[in-house]
């Protein structure tokens, strides 16, 4: 049912987890063998050429990030895999680790070699116990087969991997909060600079990447950057992307699709269209922090740049679709409530600003708002965006900003009618 | 030294200074909460927004997080930045209760100031507020968490700066809680700083609660009289009552913080038993009458037996001016018998320090910047608490701390402890100086001292720290000599010694080669001295060997006391003249580094209204004078007696003219220069009588020392501090405890020639092995045991009785 | 302390802490282990963690109170976390909650009379494709209908009863 080339999901079978043996059968750990014959620098260059961009939400080019890493610095250096995945609408890393965890292990060994990291941590959210067990099993298998541990495949390179199970809270997905979490400290974000690459885990140089980002690495080594670029449908894009579909669609599962695929195709072909034959109203294209897209955006290619051009982001590509009967004020209120509740409490715009926004939206949704409240709301967005200590509060403003921009009439209707027009 | 432009004004600031401070340097103050000079920047409140127009950083940024750089052009009044600040304040206020009318912080509330400065005046948020359950935090600090604005200053002060271990940040989002893990008394001896540092009314001064509105307080910059460090304080009083003390700011000494002894130890000023009325032979008189009587009786005694028959005992807690005039009185009657500390060892230590310190003197600020700190016979928490805080700051910057002391010295930071018996301390100092280790025949001490020498030689800013009680005069000299050995172009070594009181150095300075109190004791006994004038001193309690002193003092024909506290001397004096406490007068002290600092008068003396009891205010009995208002500054009493100028500045000028070394007195201020004495002959006279115990026949040597609270006269009189007072305790090394058949936590009987008492046994691996240790506790069975001595004792378990 | 953690686990943690450069990193693991054993983390659990890892009790409490999946108050034998984030909400999580509250006779934050269930909200469970979802223990259930919920509750009751 998916006509596009499958890379990350090529081994995926419903309800099963790929073992080392079957992973190896489809070319598993060939990338690692190849990589260990290259120099660390060559790998970084290759990843840079591939155009791989971070899959954790911010989309920073992975090769460039790696090239900033002080791989030659003496002493411990760490690679951390970010598997917190707590942004509403996002469940792709879970699918990946459910289906084929060795990709992550292989990617991490290659990345560690490229960065000359001495140890790796895999940070997993509380709810992903099954994934944690899968990863632990995969680590044990890889170790036994010589892909991990001392002197990997006779190269002299050594690496140990550790799984860390978290205990809740979205903020741990923010990479510096995650590092504090790993250290057993209060997981507030840290100030940047210094960046993790300079002073990260336990004060040592650390590189943080998303699960999906790292899983792509072995394939890039195996098939080359050009192949990777050509996987995408847009000229400037590269690679496939795991799209986790949710909301009012007929089919809400996770698909591997090329970057650049039109939103319409995602919604209609893969999502099977809107439930109960209703019309598409809007969607969050990449998780709870990404500004809405509406029906006018259905033909947009789902890739980093095109979405940025219309004021949104591809984020994690967790597409949450809302049908025509949905009140977008209520959706936004729900989203802001999430962010307010998940704030770490460190900085004021987030800790106290988000509850204020949440209160405003609640008031408007209940028909108690007035026109001043709309101005107030707009001012809140302006003064929270880019002003908080980390990107959580800024992310929270994504949907609110687009609510004001795209659904102004709906907001006004609430005020005029003195109640939610969708009741 | 980057140069930048802020609001069209150019400013050049030191490397590394942030833009918020750079603006402050040209008097542009932008509202902020989480940034504090002593605590650093964390960027959490998001209030200090400025617009960066040109240069390496652009846009609206938090000024506290941006180091000043060349080429920056910054606006504090750009619309975007102003608007953001307005919003941040509005957000901070969303959960804040509107309890300003009843809030104890009212009048000095930073939140109130910043709310106005930030331009927030209209409440728009009408949602629910977060509420909290408060904790019981002990007798000093009241918590009212609903007022919290989550600036993280408290935890950064208590945990990071002061090294407290029982306070933290709990919860998250808009329900962050600052407090203890469980209800209970805050353990840090610096807990009171929470009051100063909290920008709103979450942590307030509990003993001060509901006593005054801030704006009704009379305040003035002052100097803490509780130890020799000379921390800046700001006492505040009302209704003739000293109601609270907060920390003053002095970058050279205490910085921004003080200890709880300094903050809550003011009770002596309001003490119900404080003697407030002049007396002659037990009968009340006016001050004038008392002064006349004092002058006449002293003159009569001098006429009869010669000037030398009268001795004058000043004190480490009397002002420099008072002590100077006391000495002048001695001069006028032709007596050379003036002493400024009744405690022999402490007196010698102070004089030895005044004579030897010279350019070795280091301030608390120097200690904070030191890279190697060696404490020999020093226990900062007992002898000079803010020093412990300074040491912690050095450690936070990477300094190493080594403690050589028989006591289990506690510090709020990592340190290495070498628990040597007291007799070895001098030998260690000699070995440090000479590089000869022969006298240290102990297998462990030799290499330790060797390592110490090489560490000092490698350090850039090492400081050797000692304490008067353990080192005595000789030890202080040895400490200075040792330090001098290491002075080089690379090694800028210094010394700090904790003395007994705020003006110990000043007294020593006046009497560098004069007699000491032990010499006077003999003279009392032999009848050579028949009269004694005590200025804010109590030889009955303060002498190093009080029993001996008390017997000798019985021979006196005339005892005169000038004091502001209910001392034994005041009670027994033939003539008593009430003086004022530090907060009630102006004057100056010379602190332990030789720094001459002035203090100003905060309040007028008088019987506190609260002490007059319920129903007595307004007073039923109408009278034209204020009850209890007779006390005068000691220097004024003495000035009248000696016909000196009544005006302090005029007095200072005449004193400076008489004593050229005191030139600094003419322009003394709260942040004045150091004064140093010239070494003269004193070293030869130094004896060290502390260690005279004989350890034969079941005797255990008992080392007596002082505690954070309970051993110091002024703070001992302060009721809030009672909660911190220890019960009588004997500390033993576990090996000695085992030999004596005693267990940790048990009660035992301590017998000495001074009497018997019940004590709790505590054991510690962190102390010298062959001795017992106890704190002098005033008003307890241990009162007669004076710190800095070793006596014989016997210890038996209570059950054995 | 033995009721907090089986001896072998305790020994294992002690051994790990002994050879770790930063024993503090084990705080969350140890808290989770205690919670698995006791259902929640009582005060002496905090003290135990501090003791085993050589850190201060406040440092443990600071971390413990940050995470929403560490329970510092007693809870029922099973904690039901109902997702109220956007995907589940859009698919009827409010109805799920209503149903659970009615069936169990408790409000959010409360524990059922039999001590079996505590009902708590949670943010997104990463089960957005199976919305509306809930998590009981470490198992995620979705998509939920009233029937499915009743069935799950019955299964758990049976398991707990038997
Ligand atoms: C509030 C917040 C939550 C985040 N959550 C996640 C997450 O769950 N998973 C993730 O990979 N990245 C998350 N990120 C992004 C990370 O900070 C970081 O950019 C990312 O892990 C880098 O990996 P990548 O370059 O491979 O994308 C989050 C960022 C923020 C500000
Ligand atoms: S924006 Fe501020 S309060 Fe919110 S999560 Fe980030 S640091 Fe914490
Ligand atoms: S003072 Fe700058 S962010 Fe708080």
């Amino acid at each position: 049912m998916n006509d596009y080339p499958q890379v990350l999901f090529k081994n995926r079978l419903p309800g099963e987890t790929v073992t080392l043996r079957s992973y190896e059968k489809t070319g598993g750990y060939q990338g690692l063998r190849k990589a260990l014959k290259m120099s660390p620098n060559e790998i970084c260059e290759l990843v840079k050429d591939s155009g791989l961009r971070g899959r954790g939400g911010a989309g920073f080019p992975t090769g460039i990030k790696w090239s900033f890493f002080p791989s030659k610095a003496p002493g411990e250096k760490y690679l951390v895999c970010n598997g917190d995945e707590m942004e509403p609408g996002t469940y792709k890393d879970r699918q990946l680790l459910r289906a084929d965890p060795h990709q992550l292990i292989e990617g991490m060994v290659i990345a560690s070699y490229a960065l000359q990291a001495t140890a790796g941590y895999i940070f997993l959210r509380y709810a992903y116990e099954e994934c944690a067990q899968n990863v632990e099993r995969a680590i044990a298998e890889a170790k036994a087969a010589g892909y991990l541990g001392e002197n990997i495949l006779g190269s002299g390179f050594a690496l140990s991997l550790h799984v860390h199970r978290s205990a809740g809270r979205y903020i741990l997905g923010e990479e510096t909060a995650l590092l504090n979490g790993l250290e057993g400290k209060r997981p507030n974000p840290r100030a940047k600079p210094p960046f993790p690459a300079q002073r990260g885990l336990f004060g040592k140089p650390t590189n943080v990447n998303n699960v999906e980002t790292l899983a792509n690495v072995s394939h890039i080594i195996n098939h080359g950057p050009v192949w990777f670029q050509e996987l995408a449908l847009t000229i400037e894009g590269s690679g496939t992307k795991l799209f986790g579909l949710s909301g009012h669609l007929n089919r809400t599962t996770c698909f591997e699709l090329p970057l650049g695929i039109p939103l319409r195709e995602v919604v209609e072909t893969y999502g099977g269209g809107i439930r109960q034959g209703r019309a598409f109203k809007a969607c969050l294209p990449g998780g709870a922090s990404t500004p809405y897209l509406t029906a006018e955006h259905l033909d947009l290619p789902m890739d980093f740049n095109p979405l940025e051009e219309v004021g949104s982001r591809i984020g994690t590509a967790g597409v949450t679709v809302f049908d025509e009967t949905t009140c977008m004020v209520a959706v936004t209120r729900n989203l802001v409530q999430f962010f307010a509740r998940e704030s770490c409490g460190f900085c004021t715009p987030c800790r106290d600003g988000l509850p204020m926004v949440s209160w405003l939206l609640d008031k408007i949704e209940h028909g108690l708002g007035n026109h001043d409240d709309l101005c107030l709301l707009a001012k809140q967005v302006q003064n929270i965006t880019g002003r908080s200590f980390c990107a959580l509060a800024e992310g929270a403003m994504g949907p609110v900003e687009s609510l004001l921009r795209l659904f102004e009439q709906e907001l006004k209707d609430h005020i005029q009618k003195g109640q939610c027009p969708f009741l | 030294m980057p140069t930048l432009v802020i609001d069209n004004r150019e400013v050049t600031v030191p490397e590394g200074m942030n833009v918020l401070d750079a603006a402050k340097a040209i008097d542009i103050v932008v509202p902020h909460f989480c940034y504090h000079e002593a605590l650093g920047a964390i960027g959490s409140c998001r209030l200090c927004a400025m617009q960066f127009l040109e240069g390496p950083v652009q846009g609206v940024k938090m000024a506290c997080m941006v180091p000043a750089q060349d080429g920056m052009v910054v606006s504090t009044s750009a619309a975007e930045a102003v608007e953001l600040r307005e919003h941040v304040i509005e957000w901070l206020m969303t959960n804040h209760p509107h309890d300003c009318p009843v809030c104890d912080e009212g009048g000095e509330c930073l939140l109130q100031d910043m709310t106005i400065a930030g331009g927030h005046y209209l409440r728009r948020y009408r949602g629910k507020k977060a509420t909290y359950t408060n904790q019981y935090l002990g007798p000093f600090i009241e918590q009212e968490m609903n007022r919290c604005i989550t600036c993280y200053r408290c935890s950064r002060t208590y945990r990071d700066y002061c090294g407290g271990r029982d306070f933290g940040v709990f919860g998250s989002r808009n329900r962050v809680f600052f407090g203890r893990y469980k209800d209970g008394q805050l353990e840090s001896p610096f807990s009171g700083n929470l009051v100063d540092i909290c920008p709103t009314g979450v942590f307030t001064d509990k003993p001060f609660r509901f006593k005054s509105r801030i704006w009704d307080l009379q305040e003035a910059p002052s100097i803490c009289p509780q130890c020799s460090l000379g921390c800046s304080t700001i006492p505040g009083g009302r209704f003739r009552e000293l109601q609270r003390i907060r920390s003053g700011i002095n970058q050279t000494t205490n910085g921004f913080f003080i200890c709880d002894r300094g903050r809550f130890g003011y009770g002596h000023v309001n003490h119900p038993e404080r003697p407030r009325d002049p007396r002659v032979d037990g009968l009340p008189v006016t001050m004038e009458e008392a002064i006349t009587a004092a002058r006449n009786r002293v003159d009569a005694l001098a006429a009869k037996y010669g000037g030398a028959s009268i001795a004058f005992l000043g004190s480490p807690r009397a002002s420099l001016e008072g002590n100077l005039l006391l000495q002048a009185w001695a001069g006028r009657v032709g007596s050379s018998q003036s002493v400024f500390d009744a405690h022999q060892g402490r007196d010698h230590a102070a004089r030895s320090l005044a004579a030897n310190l010279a350019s070795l003197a280091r301030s608390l600020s120097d200690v904070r910047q030191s890279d190697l700190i060696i404490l020999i016979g020093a226990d900062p928490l007992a002898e000079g608490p803010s020093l412990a805080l300074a040491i912690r700051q050095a450690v936070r910057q990477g300094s190493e701390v080594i403690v050589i002391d028989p006591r289990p010295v506690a510090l709020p930071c990592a340190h290495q402890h070498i628990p040597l018996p007291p007799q070895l301390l001098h030998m260690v100092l000699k070995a440090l100086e000479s590089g000869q280790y022969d006298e240290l025949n102990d297998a462990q001490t030799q290499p330790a001292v060797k390592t110490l020498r090489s560490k000092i030689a490698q350090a850039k800013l090492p400081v050797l720290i000692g304490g008067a009680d353990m080192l005595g005069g000789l030890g202080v000299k040895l400490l200075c000599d040792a330090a001098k050995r290491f002075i080089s172009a690379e090694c800028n070594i210094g010394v700090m010694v904790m003395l007994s009181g705020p003006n110990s150095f000043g007294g020593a300075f006046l009497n560098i080669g004069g007699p000491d109190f032990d010499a006077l004791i003999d003279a009392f006994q032999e009848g050579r001295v028949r009269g004694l004038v005590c200025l804010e001193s109590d030889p009955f309690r303060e002498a190093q060997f009080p029993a001996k002193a008390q017997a000798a003092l019985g021979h006196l024909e005339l005892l005169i006391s000038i004091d502001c506290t209910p001392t034994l001397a005041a009670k027994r004096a033939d003539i008593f003249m009430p003086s004022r406490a530090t907060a009630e007068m102006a004057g100056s002290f010379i602190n332990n580094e030789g720094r001459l600092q002035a203090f100003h008068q905060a309040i007028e003396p008088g019987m506190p209204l609260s002490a007059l009891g319920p129903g007595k205010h307004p007073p039923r009995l109408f009278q034209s004078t204020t009850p209890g208002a007779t006390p005068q500054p000691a220097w004024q009493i003495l000035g009248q007696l000696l016909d000196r100028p009544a005006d302090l500045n005029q007095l200072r000028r005449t004193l400076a003219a008489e004593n050229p070394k005191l030139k600094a007195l003419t322009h003394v201020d709260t942040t004045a220069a150091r004064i140093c004495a010239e070494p003269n002959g004193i070293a030869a006279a130094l004896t060290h009588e502390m260690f005279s115990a004989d350890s034969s026949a079941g005797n255990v040597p008992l080392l007596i020392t002082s505690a954070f609270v309970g051993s110091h006269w002024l703070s001992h009189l302060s009721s809030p501090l009672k909660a911190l007072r220890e019960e009588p305790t004997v500390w033993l090394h576990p090996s000695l405890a085992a030999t004596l058949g005693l267990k940790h936590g048990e009660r035992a009987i301590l017998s000495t020639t001074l009497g018997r008492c019940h004590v709790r046994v505590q054991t510690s691996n962190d102390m010298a092995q062959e001795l017992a240790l106890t704190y002098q506790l005033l008003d307890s069975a241990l009162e007669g045991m004076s710190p800095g001595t070793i006596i014989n004792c016997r210890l038996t378990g209570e059950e054995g009785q | 302390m033995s009721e907090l953690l089986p001896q072998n686990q305790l020994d294992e943690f002690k051994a790990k802490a002994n050879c770790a450069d930063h024993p503090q990193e084990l705080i969350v693991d140890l808290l989770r282990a205690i919670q698995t054993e006791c259902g929640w983390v009582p005060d002496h659990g905090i003290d135990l963690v501090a003791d085993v890892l050589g850190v201060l009790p406040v440092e443990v409490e600071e971390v413990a109170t940050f995470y929403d999946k560490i329970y510092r108050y007693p809870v029922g034998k099973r904690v039901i976390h109902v997702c109220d984030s956007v995907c589940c909400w859009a698919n009827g999580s409010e109805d799920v909650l209503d149903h659970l509250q009615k069936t169990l006779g408790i409000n959010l934050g409360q524990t059922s009379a039999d001590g079996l269930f505590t009902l708590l909200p949670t943010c997104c469970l990463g089960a957005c494709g199976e919305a509306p979802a809930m998590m009981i223990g470490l198992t995620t259930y979705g998509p939920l209908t009233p029937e499915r919920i009743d069935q799950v509750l019955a299964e758990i009751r049976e398991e707990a009863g038997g």
Side-chain angles (χ1 to χ4, degrees), chain B residues 14-87:
Chain B
E15 203 67 51
M17 180 182 268
N18 65 40
V19 177
L20 185 59
D21 273 342
K24 246 185 230 171
I26 46 173
D27 292 330
I28 300 171
V29 179
V30 169
H32 58 276
F33 281 114
C34 64
Y35 177 71
H36 184 283
E37 209 181 316
L39 306 177
I42 56 167
S44 77
C45 75
R46 317 308 280 176
L47 184 53
C48 64
M50 295 186 191
Q51 179 106 32
F52 289 70
L53 302 166
E54 282 170 37
V57 176
Q58 304 216 339
V60 172
K61 292 275 149 20
M62 297 307 133
C64 70
M65 299 294 279
V66 183
Q69 286 164 65
D70 275 322
M72 284 182 160
V73 177
V74 186
S75 163
T76 67
S77 55
E80 259 186 77
V82 172
E83 187 183 302
L84 175 57
R85 297 202 296 260
E86 262 173 51
H87 277 83

Side-chain angles (χ1 to χ4, degrees), chain A residues 171 189 343-347 350-351 388-390 392-393:
Chain A
I171 188 59
S343 163
C344 81
F346 187 70
C347 73
C350 180
R351 181 189 61 240
S388 51
F389 188 80
C390 83
L392 186 145

Side-chain angles (χ1 to χ4, degrees), chain A residues 309-358:
Chain A
E309 276 159 28
V310 299
S312 187
R313 292 186 299 117
I314 191 158
T316 60
V319 183
T320 308
V321 173
F322 304 102
D323 68 23
E324 56 190 323
T325 66
T326 318
C327 169
M328 294 312 286
V329 177
V331 172
T332 313
R333 176 188 59 166
N334 175 283
L335 289 168
V336 174
Q337 275 166 358
F338 161 81
F339 286 108
R341 198 168 69 193
E342 291 305 311
S343 163
C344 81
F346 187 70
C347 73
T348 312
C350 180
R351 181 189 61 240
D352 297 327
L354 297 188
M356 177 132 173
V357 176
S358 169

Side-chain angles (χ1 to χ4, degrees), chain B residues 242-402:
Chain B
L242 182 53
Q243 295 185 327
R244 70 155 186 194
I245 287 181
R246 62 191 170 108
S247 177
I249 300 170
N250 184 341
Q251 300 283 14
T252 324
T253 57
N254 59 311
F256 293 84
F257 305 108
I258 56 173
C259 74
D260 287 354
R261 188 159 94 206
R263 185 182 301 269
F264 300 109
Y266 54 80
H268 60 279
V269 181
N270 313 318
H271 201 275
E273 284 162 38
R274 174 174 170 183
R276 294 176 178 275
D277 300 310
R279 264 185 292 110
V280 175
D281 298 329
L283 298 172
V285 293
T286 63
M287 189 68 104
E288 287 68 32
E289 286 162 348
I291 290 172
T292 313
R295 187 187 322 162
N296 292 345
R297 294 220 192 156
V298 165
D299 286 348
L301 213 59
K304 202 162 162 194
Y305 302 107
S309 68
I310 301 143
F312 295 82
L313 180 63
S315 89
R317 65 181 158 92
S319 68
L320 182 64
E321 292 84 351
N323 278 329
L324 264 165
L325 287 178
L326 185 76
Q327 201 178 34
W329 191 4
R332 203 168 83 172
V333 298
S335 165
S336 58
Q337 312 276 31
S338 45
V339 177
F340 296 92
D341 193 334
H343 188 293
Q344 171 97 349
R346 289 172 168 175
D347 182 30
H348 284 195
R351 289 200 245 167
S352 178
L353 187 68
N356 290 292
L357 191 59
S359 60
L360 288 170
R362 290 295 177 272
S363 65
L364 287 177
S365 151
D366 296 326
V367 172
R368 289 194 283 272
Q369 269 134 53
S370 167
D371 57 347
L372 175 67
I373 295 171
I374 297 171
L375 295 109
I376 303 180
D379 183 357
L381 283 181
E383 301 166 85
S386 287
L387 174 59
L389 214 46
I391 293 173
R392 176 174 168 81
Q393 306 323 308
V395 171
R396 290 175 76 202
Q397 316 244 344
S399 172
E400 197 182 343
V401 177
I402 298 164

